[in-house]
Amino acid sequence: MKNTSSKHKHMIEVIESELKYTRSMIGRDRFSPRVMEAMKKVPRDKFVPEDLKFLAFDNGPVPIGHGQTISQPYIVALMTDLLELEPDHVVLEVGTGSGYQTAILSQLCKQVYSIEVIADLSEAAEARFKNLGYSNIETRVGNGYQGWPEHAPYDGIIVTAAAAYIPEALKEQLKPGAKMVIPVGLPHMHQELMLVEKDRQGEINVSPILGVAFVPLVETPATDTNDTAH
Ligand code: SAH
């Protein structure tokens, strides 16, 4: 039986070898050393349910309850790398889920704001951040289609569920020169990971990166007046 640290090390090797197959699609054959450091540091086993810990370091999605999944590590690394984060950046994440992607982001920037529509998942993620000592994360229960205008504009936005279209509010909350990564497409249909860039003049450019399979970004009824920030 492999121990936790050798399984974690293997996960990193698998991400690096998967890059060989995808480099022509994603236009790069390596992720930044900062991103790979964060992937090495954040303990993925602390973000999956107790009975599925044996899957924690596999390069695949893992169910986290409520029909949701923690994303595949390779995709987490790719999406993070595409954002090209700097230590002074403020980032918005839509779809906190387990909080794993949030934790990776928190290693690479100044502050992460993360929205989750399912209160139970948001609370569980919040508890993990406290336990693990990640203090530059603020979470909120709400509908990510509207973004989080109070802290906008952002140096980067990441959406970890597939949207039917790129939400207007998220485009607005992006700083000029900043990037957003978002899977676009319908459930069980073709979805494409998109890189959305707002140029210095405020023009939006969208480039497809890779075919992906994400849970849907749900359009919840207008209950946002009951949103709670943690
Ligand atoms: N980044 C997460 C992935 C979770 S899956 C992780 O690393 O674990 C996507 C998450 O998006 C789910 O938890 C789902 O509940 C959430 N979600 C779906 N629609 C949403 C919406 N409109 N606003 C905010 N979160 C949403």
Side-chain angles (χ1 to χ4, degrees):
M1 274 284 265
K2 280 186 173 176
N3 65 23
T4 302
S5 79
S6 70
K7 284 186 190 167
H8 196 162
K9 200 163 156 252
H10 185 245
M11 181 189 94
I12 300 296
E13 287 160 7
V14 171
I15 293 172
E16 280 161 356
S17 75
E18 185 147 347
L19 266 164
K20 291 188 196 126
Y21 302 105
T22 52
R23 65 180 167 199
S24 62
M25 287 175 267
I26 66 172
R28 60 190 77 200
D29 58 10
R30 58 193 280 278
F31 295 139
S32 94
R34 289 185 75 228
V35 170
M36 291 313 289
E37 265 320 297
M39 297 297 296
K40 282 177 200 163
K41 236 164 119 186
V42 175
R44 194 169 185 254
D45 54 325
K46 300 287 193 292
F47 293 83
V48 301
E50 206 53 51
D51 54 339
L52 296 176
K53 290 241 188 274
F54 67 102
L55 296 173
F57 296 106
D58 283 4
N59 188 31
V62 181
I64 54 171
H66 300 272
Q68 307 304 318
T69 52
I70 176 173
S71 308
Q72 183 190 355
Y74 166 80
I75 292 291
V76 171
L78 170 62
M79 291 174 80
T80 309
D81 197 68
L82 287 166
L83 288 175
E84 295 182 19
L85 295 177
E86 302 286 345
D88 63 342
H89 279 178
V90 175
V91 175
L92 173 69
E93 178 188 39
V94 174
T96 318
S98 69
Y100 176 68
Q101 171 77 73
T102 329
I104 296 286
L105 296 169
S106 79
Q107 305 294 297
L108 298 165
C109 66
K110 188 169 81 184
Q111 178 71 35
V112 188
Y113 294 99
S114 186
I115 311 176
E116 169 57 54
V117 76
I118 299 174
D120 278 359
L121 291 179
S122 181
E123 279 157 27
E126 182 72 23
R128 290 185 185 111
F129 303 147
K130 282 219 173 75
N131 279 339
L132 294 165
Y134 300 130
S135 55
N136 59 342
I137 298 170
E138 204 179 311
T139 61
R140 165 184 170 170
V141 179
N143 182 359
Y145 267 96
Q146 268 107 56
W148 192 335
E150 289 82 351
H151 304 290
Y154 298 98
D155 300 293
I157 299 180
I158 180 167
V159 181
T160 67
Y165 54 90
I166 303 171
E168 214 45 51
L170 298 186
K171 287 186 205 163
E172 278 163 20
Q173 291 171 29
L174 205 54
K175 253 186 208 169
K179 296 179 174 59
M180 161 161 60
V181 282
I182 176 169
V184 178
L186 297 174
H188 313 298
M189 307 271 282
H190 182 79
Q191 298 173 1
E192 192 79 24
L193 186 63
M194 299 291 190
L195 178 63
V196 179
E197 296 174 88
K198 187 184 257 189
D199 69 18
R200 302 274 164 202
Q201 285 70 45
E203 287 293 313
I204 296 283
N205 296 296
V206 181
S207 337
I209 302 290
L210 191 70
V212 286
F214 274 82
V215 294
L217 188 72
V218 295
E219 297 219 43
T220 50
T223 53
D224 292 359
T225 45
N226 296 327
D227 284 0
T228 50
H230 296 270

